[in-house]
Amino acid sequence: MRPIVAINPMRPVWVLLFGIMFCAPRPCDGFIAYTWVNQGMYTAGDPISYNLDFNHDSIMDLLFESNGMWFDVAAQSEDNRVIAGGGDVYALPWGYSIGSDVDPDLWMMDPLGITLNSSATVPPGEVISTGQFLETTAFMGVQFYIDDLVHYGWVRISNPFPVTGGIIMDFAYETEPGVGILAGAGMIPEPATSALLAVGGLLLALRRKRK
């Protein structure tokens, strides 16, 4: 198994976890770099955006945006891709293989963004939400480049409510170019996100009250 490097965004310290994860039977060429985020993307007012930088080199890889009616992701490089289809980012299960074995037709990106979830109001005032990241916690599959070499990673997004938005929980990528990663690989338990989930619950209650 790959060793894990945990990255605390508040302190740029990389800590190798020995004893639990190790490389065998050959020397390690790469490792799984993991970052905890806990970025809420629920809003009923001003738009929210989050720039994701997988390897913390100040070159942004993905841009997430949410305005209460839609929540989407766009590449910050024309070569970056996510696993998607029909205009929606696919919500991948734990253990999904993200790498060169993915159907090339599923690697997509639109400079204007691909939808994680969205909402629309239809007569007589009913709110309809669509997208794969509704009432679930799942993973995005990502293909991006470092120094012109392809890398693979995942982003975990939690949205237990049938409303637009969610929480960008964490992300990880394989540091060895061209090597795939399983969705959820390298994930380290972190504190609960009850406060952000409460915000989502409040928005849901307000929306139902308007009906």
Side-chain angles (χ1 to χ4, degrees):
M1 299 179 69
R2 294 289 194 191
I4 302 170
V5 170
I7 304 173
N8 183 336
M10 301 302 294
R11 292 162 44 188
V13 178
W14 291 42
V15 182
L16 282 173
L17 304 181
F18 293 108
I20 300 177
M21 295 293 184
F22 58 90
C23 285
R26 60 182 177 79
C28 295
D29 296 317
F31 52 83
I32 295 174
Y34 170 87
T35 301
W36 171 252
V37 180
N38 198 27
Q39 171 65 51
M41 300 299 289
Y42 295 109
T43 180
D46 294 335
I48 301 172
S49 63
Y50 175 74
N51 280 294
L52 190 151
D53 178 4
F54 272 103
N55 63 326
H56 300 269
D57 62 354
S58 298
I59 299 175
M60 299 304 150
D61 300 305
L62 299 172
L63 173 63
F64 292 86
E65 293 184 299
S66 177
N67 68 357
M69 295 304 293
W70 47 257
F71 176 30
D72 66 15
V73 60
Q76 297 291 68
S77 165
E78 62 181 12
D79 295 322
N80 295 351
R81 299 286 187 271
V82 300
I83 297 176
D88 291 331
V89 178
Y90 282 173
L92 307 177
W94 182 288
Y96 188 96
S97 179
I98 303 165
S100 59
D101 55 340
V102 172
D103 184 339
D105 291 338
L106 296 181
W107 288 116
M108 299 184 177
M109 186 47 71
D110 185 324
L112 298 179
I114 299 180
T115 302
L116 291 148
N117 53 51
S118 63
S119 299
T121 303
V122 298
E126 180 183 2
V127 176
I128 298 177
S129 297
T130 61
Q132 295 203 10
F133 286 86
L134 292 169
E135 299 182 274
T136 189
T137 295
F139 300 87
M140 284 175 45
V142 183
Q143 173 185 282
F144 69 105
Y145 287 78
I146 302 174
D147 297 329
D148 296 325
L149 298 175
V150 66
H151 290 261
Y152 298 99
W154 55 258
V155 182
R156 182 168 58 124
I157 296 174
S158 179
N159 180 24
F161 309 110
V163 299
T164 301
I167 302 170
I168 303 170
M169 304 287 290
D170 45 11
F171 59 83
Y173 78 100
E174 168 59 57
T175 62
E176 184 174 355
V179 175
I181 188 172
L182 299 180
M187 196 166 70
I188 300 171
E190 290 286 348
T193 59
S194 56
L196 285 172
L197 293 177
V199 172
L202 178 60
L203 290 174
L204 176 59
L206 290 174
R207 180 164 291 176
R208 286 176 174 170
K209 185 177 180 180
R210 288 174 184 169
K211 291 181 183 180

